[in-house]
Amino acid sequence: MNYAEAEKYLEGVSWLGIKPGLERISELLARLGNPERICRFVHVAGTNGKGSTSTMLASMLTSAGYRTGLYTSPHLLRVTERMRVDGAEMPREGLAKAVSALQRAAEGMAEPCTEFELLTAAAFWWFAHEGCDYVVLEVGMGGRLDATNVIPRPDCAVITNIGLDHTEVLGATAELIAAEKAGIFKGGPAAAYLQTESVARVLIDAAERTGTQLHFADFSRLEPISEDLEGQSFRFEGETYHIRLLGEHQLKNAAVAVTAARLLGIPQEAIARGLERTVWPARFEIVSRSPYFVVDGGHNPQCVTATAAALRRCFPWKRRVLLMGVLADKAWGEMLDILLPCASQVVCVRPDSERALDAAELCAEILRRGVPAEAAESIAAGVDRAIALAGEDGIVCSVGSLYMSGAVREHILGKGA
């Protein structure tokens, strides 16, 4: 099997969509020889910030000398982006070998696995064959019934910021969603983002039931020191750190990662070095200048609240043009409430997803709210138009969906900007 055939095989089951449960992947992994039992794991769940936090932790573990796998989702352009070892993306031949093994193992299963289950199994297989010491494993959705939760007890469980997303599957309140995410608790240490009191109580109760030692990151001991467009420095629990990621929310994500790293026994110098080296595309990422062009994957009200705050902090006097595309099943009306007050103008596009909202419909709603807006016929055309509207002294921020971020980055970086 080659890379193209592997992609075709994975796409062949994409129609199954989301089917929570561990029965199918458990059977598939047993047929593969249970590769998920070979590595040690750090398991990360949450609504927002789990990708950034996972990437920070993986960088710390690599800096400490561990061969470290990282599994995240979704990808921006290539499915192989989801699986990395010591920061290096899975090679195409790696995916081909993993999916070939999956295809043989899956023959004769009574119920087919979903695309995410297959990708998760492929990741376990590859990380085991690559000899990883640790794998930082990001939950796809929820936690309790997510395919990643087939692993044994992790060395550390991590819960990032919890908010409302995927409510049709996980529940209509933050407390119900927290209960699902706490399903990754299996005993041992856990680190968590400091939540609201009611959400924190759900996590505390789940930790007590499972014998998990839960530690909330103490944000009262988090002190910003400096910030510019190259990154930010801060002090947390008496130690000084620097990260390249922008936005106040990333300081809190870093504090959670540091809390987890200390529970894992990672040396202080490796924690600092790992944070310094962390790179995470499409998270308030400046990809070009003159005008500044920021790519941000914010896709729910909680995410774009952080985006709007970062725009005001980092670009207080700039003309701000938003390049915006959203999925129809997201709370995009609330996202507009948050983003439009910091926008001079909006260019609307349609993300590459069958769930995407039409650009003309989004544009009409923005115009109804009194903000200048226009729809572009493609993402590439939208990028070019937004740059023209911003002018050399302005800023463009692409926001609304990770499903468009990869195409936006590719168009900008392909120009050599």
Side-chain angles (χ1 to χ4, degrees):
M1 177 180 286
N2 59 32
Y3 177 75
E5 290 168 337
E7 279 196 314
K8 185 176 181 181
Y9 179 77
L10 293 170
E11 290 168 358
V13 297
S14 63
W15 59 272
L16 289 171
I18 298 170
K19 295 173 67 177
L22 302 180
E23 300 83 4
R24 294 174 299 275
I25 190 169
S26 294
E27 180 181 352
L28 178 60
L29 289 170
R31 289 165 173 246
L32 283 169
N34 293 113
E36 81 285 3
R37 299 179 184 176
I38 294 174
C39 305
R40 300 162 71 180
F41 289 94
V42 179
H43 205 184
V44 184
T47 305
N48 297 310
K50 61 182 185 289
S52 299
T53 305
S54 296
T55 306
M56 292 176 191
L57 278 164
S59 183
M60 293 174 191
L61 285 163
T62 295
S63 294
Y66 296 105
R67 186 162 176 79
T68 306
L70 173 65
Y71 181 59
T72 59
S73 61
H75 57 273
L76 299 181
L77 285 174
R78 301 172 301 277
V79 69
T80 47
E81 296 170 19
R82 299 185 181 209
M83 292 155 270
R84 298 177 181 272
V85 172
D86 290 338
E89 181 180 331
M90 182 189 212
R92 289 188 169 210
E93 58 269 25
L95 183 71
K97 290 178 182 178
V99 174
S100 180
L102 292 184
Q103 186 181 38
R104 292 191 298 270
E107 289 179 5
M109 284 183 61
E111 186 178 3
C113 289
T114 66
E115 182 181 22
F116 184 73
E117 289 167 345
L118 289 174
L119 284 169
T120 303
F124 287 139
W125 185 93
W126 187 60
F127 292 140
H129 280 73
E130 284 292 304
C132 290
D133 303 305
Y134 267 106
V135 172
V136 181
L137 189 67
E138 181 192 346
V139 167
M141 184 181 68
R144 181 175 63 92
L145 297 177
D146 185 78
T148 62
N149 205 29
V150 73
I151 62 170
R153 190 182 84 179
D155 280 24
C156 186
V158 181
I159 304 290
T160 65
N161 200 5
I162 293 175
L164 297 178
D165 205 1
H166 301 296
T167 53
E168 70 285 356
V169 178
L170 302 179
T173 68
E175 291 76 17
L176 288 172
I177 293 171
E180 289 295 316
K181 296 184 185 300
I184 68 170
F185 290 168
K186 298 184 177 83
Y193 191 103
L194 190 61
Q195 315 285 341
T196 63
E197 184 176 351
S198 60
V199 171
R201 174 45 56 189
V202 172
L203 298 182
I204 291 168
D205 290 345
E208 290 176 349
R209 286 195 305 273
T210 56
T212 300
Q213 295 83 53
L214 179 60
H215 303 259
F216 287 99
D218 186 354
F219 294 154
S220 71
R221 301 186 67 187
L222 174 62
E223 177 190 352
I225 297 174
S226 64
E227 180 183 28
D228 57 29
L229 296 181
E230 305 305 319
Q232 46 190 337
S233 297
F234 65 99
R235 189 173 292 107
F236 179 60
E237 295 186 340
E239 299 288 346
T240 301
Y241 304 98
H242 182 81
I243 57 174
R244 303 183 199 181
L245 305 179
L246 299 176
E248 184 180 5
H249 61 293
Q250 293 292 9
L251 297 183
K252 293 181 177 180
N253 291 335
V256 174
V258 170
T259 301
R262 290 177 176 171
L263 293 172
L264 289 164
I266 299 175
Q268 177 58 34
E269 56 271 24
I271 293 175
R273 189 165 58 247
L275 282 178
E276 172 73 36
R277 294 176 177 176
T278 300
V279 177
W280 192 222
R283 277 70 176 182
F284 209 81
E285 176 193 18
I286 299 175
V287 295
S288 71
R289 299 165 189 255
S290 189
Y292 285 98
F293 200 112
V294 174
V295 178
D296 189 79
H299 57 278
N300 61 40
Q302 199 173 19
C303 283
V304 300
T305 296
T307 306
L311 282 171
R312 292 187 174 100
R313 283 166 58 90
C314 297
F315 303 98
W317 308 114
K318 297 286 186 181
R319 169 176 167 79
R320 307 185 196 105
V321 176
L322 299 184
L323 176 69
M324 193 168 183
V326 298
L327 300 187
D329 56 2
K330 295 292 185 179
W332 57 271
E334 293 180 49
M335 292 162 62
L336 291 179
D337 292 338
I338 297 162
L339 288 168
L340 293 186
C342 68
S344 305
Q345 193 159 355
V346 184
V347 177
C348 303
V349 295
R350 188 182 192 279
D352 184 18
S353 169
E354 60 186 22
R355 295 158 51 204
L357 184 71
D358 186 73
E361 185 176 346
L362 178 62
C363 181
E365 177 58 24
I366 294 170
L367 288 170
R368 189 187 69 78
R369 295 175 182 228
V371 177
E374 56 187 80
E377 61 182 16
S378 68
I379 289 176
V383 169
D384 293 340
R385 179 58 177 158
I387 289 173
L389 289 170
E392 288 191 3
D393 296 328
I395 173 181
V396 179
C397 180
S398 168
V399 67
S401 175
L402 272 172
Y403 285 91
M404 63 186 263
S405 295
V408 171
R409 291 181 83 254
E410 184 178 47
H411 187 65
I412 291 287
L413 298 175
K415 291 176 157 188

